[in-house]
Amino acid sequence: MSAPTSPTDLYHHSLHLLLDKDIDAWVALWAEDGLMEFPFAPDGWPRRLEGKEAVAAYMRHYPDHIDLHDFPDLRIHETTDPRTIVVEMRGVGRLVESDAPFDMTYIAVVTVHDGHITSYRDYWNPLGVQQPGADFTRSSR
């Protein structure tokens, strides 16, 4: 089955892939030159990932550290650009290392072109990664 092409449908599909822990399929939704940005990233965390390979490397260990269970409070807003959506949501689950609850708030601005994510600005809450076991990037902080 091919991935949906509208930004809203593609985003819903991407969330199902994250819940299924299918990171390879999630990365396949990206354009080769896709750009992922984290404007609120704390020191030691990446602020900009350029290209599908960089996104893949960033997400590779995500399921080993964060076990997502749901994305409640999901709201997707269409914009005047039919390729771009604004997403409000929470990601809830548990931290694998400590079994502590995980509850992160996100706002994302996502642009899709030809059925692939070309831009993803992720305004996640940096306070949520201060918990032990939340650093899935294996950064050198």
Side-chain angles (χ1 to χ4, degrees):
M1 176 176 154
S2 62
T5 57
S6 81
T8 296
D9 291 342
L10 186 73
Y11 198 81
H12 278 286
H13 181 63
S14 76
L15 295 180
H16 289 291
L17 293 173
L18 287 176
L19 291 174
D20 290 343
K21 297 165 185 43
D22 191 346
I23 300 303
D24 290 339
W26 186 86
V27 170
L29 300 178
W30 282 78
E32 289 299 322
D33 61 349
L35 176 65
M36 190 170 207
E37 297 176 285
F38 309 97
F40 296 156
D43 289 342
W45 284 71
R47 292 188 187 273
R48 183 179 175 97
L49 304 170
E50 296 184 31
K52 182 188 264 189
E53 291 305 315
V55 171
Y58 175 78
M59 291 295 290
R60 182 172 296 121
H61 298 289
Y62 192 95
D64 298 331
H65 298 274
I66 300 172
D67 179 19
L68 289 170
H69 297 164
D70 195 11
F71 292 101
D73 308 323
L74 176 66
R75 293 192 296 181
I76 298 178
H77 308 277
E78 294 183 0
T79 70
T80 57
D81 179 348
R83 300 175 307 156
T84 301
I85 57 175
V86 175
V87 179
E88 298 177 83
M89 68 178 188
R90 287 174 44 227
V92 297
R94 67 178 184 87
L95 297 174
V96 173
E97 180 181 306
S98 64
D99 204 35
F102 177 81
D103 192 336
M104 178 74 73
T105 302
Y106 303 87
I107 293 178
V109 179
V110 181
T111 301
V112 173
H113 183 70
D114 290 336
H116 291 96
I117 299 168
T118 57
S119 176
Y120 194 120
R121 277 191 318 276
D122 193 348
Y123 296 89
W124 53 271
N125 178 0
L127 298 175
V129 297
Q130 294 178 348
Q131 300 177 65
D135 187 355
F136 63 90
T137 67
R138 299 187 188 268
S139 67
S140 59
R141 304 187 279 134

